[in-house]
Amino acid sequence: RFNIVLMGMGEPLHNYDNVMTALRILCDEGGLAMSPRRITLSTVGLVPAIDRLAREPLMPNLAISLHATTDEARSAIVPINRKYSLQDLMDACARVPLKRRDRITFEYVLLDGVNDTPEDARRLVRLLGQIRGKVNLIPLNAAAGIPFDRPSDARVDRFAAILAGHGVTVSVRKSRGRDIRAACGQLIVEGQKKTAGQQAAVLMK
């Protein structure tokens, strides 16, 4: 058994028709006969495409690259937020039909002193509101070319504890290879100058 995650340097919902064709083939009895529950589509939050996806008869798991709890902070990290605000995005998530045990995953890269405060954690709780979701906290893998730092383990634990204390299902991603600068997001930026958009894409991996 294996799972598939559609994500990376490209935005899956920018390639909507081809992505849905691939999903149908993967789930078809003549393809890999996979359950849609073993496929996750990760998006930065293209609201019209999320609404379109919500109407599909074949619905993969949905992961949202959130990363901030205010429009000002998110627009700096995830430029698409300038077009579709946090409220627009959360409203779209609330419209996604979920089966009884399903949840939307909200990916949240923790940046030291940027989005990792107790106030951010409490705002995140309020943002989720009535949405059936879970939060995947991802402490940044710092590297040359990324203008942010990794928060301390104590700050990560405090953030997670606030979410859990308010009934939010939360996990903290463990990184491997940080000691040799080979963790996710580190190899791709070492020695390279990246645009703001590319840096944001690295943060969302």
Side-chain angles (χ1 to χ4, degrees):
R1 293 176 61 86
F2 59 91
N3 299 315
I4 292 176
V5 181
L6 302 174
M7 66 177 300
M9 297 298 285
E11 162 60 52
L13 293 183
H14 274 153
N15 194 23
Y16 189 95
D17 291 335
N18 288 327
V19 164
M20 290 309 302
T21 297
L23 289 177
R24 294 183 190 107
I25 292 172
L26 289 169
C27 297
D28 190 86
E29 290 295 328
L32 294 185
M34 290 187 66
S35 166
R37 300 186 70 169
R38 291 170 53 200
I39 303 173
T40 297
L41 188 152
S42 179
T43 176
V44 293
L46 276 67
V47 168
I50 292 174
D51 283 334
R52 185 179 175 189
L53 183 66
R55 297 190 295 269
E56 294 281 355
L58 191 158
M59 182 73 184
N61 298 317
L62 187 62
I64 304 292
S65 296
L66 195 62
H67 309 315
T69 59
T70 68
D71 280 317
E72 180 180 9
R74 191 167 192 267
S75 293
I77 299 169
V78 188
I80 195 66
N81 194 77
R82 299 166 194 164
K83 186 171 184 179
Y84 306 115
S85 70
L86 270 172
Q87 191 59 58
D88 293 334
L89 176 57
M90 304 313 290
D91 288 346
C93 289
R95 292 190 291 268
V96 173
L98 297 174
K99 294 182 180 179
R100 187 175 62 179
R101 289 183 295 174
D102 289 348
R103 296 175 182 269
I104 295 175
T105 299
F106 292 90
E107 308 280 3
Y108 196 99
V109 174
L110 287 164
L111 310 174
D112 187 42
V114 175
N115 64 356
D116 64 340
T117 67
E119 291 75 18
D120 282 303
R122 287 187 281 269
R123 277 195 296 267
L124 183 52
V125 171
R126 292 194 295 271
L127 272 175
L128 295 182
Q130 300 303 310
I131 297 173
R132 205 157 71 234
K134 57 185 177 180
V135 176
N136 184 20
L137 295 178
I138 309 167
L140 175 72
N141 292 319
I146 297 179
F148 302 105
D149 294 316
R150 182 187 183 92
S152 67
D153 289 344
R155 290 177 74 91
V156 173
D157 291 345
R158 179 177 61 181
F159 196 101
I162 292 172
L163 297 183
H166 286 82
V168 176
T169 300
V170 57
S171 60
V172 179
R173 182 181 297 178
K174 291 185 179 294
S175 295
R176 300 179 184 275
R178 276 200 303 140
D179 55 333
I180 58 172
R181 305 192 70 75
C184 180
Q186 289 184 318
L187 290 175
I188 198 167
V189 298
E190 287 288 358
Q192 302 180 40
K193 184 177 181 180
K194 294 290 178 184
T195 67
Q198 288 172 321
Q199 289 174 352
V202 168
L203 294 179
M204 292 180 279
K205 285 179 69 65

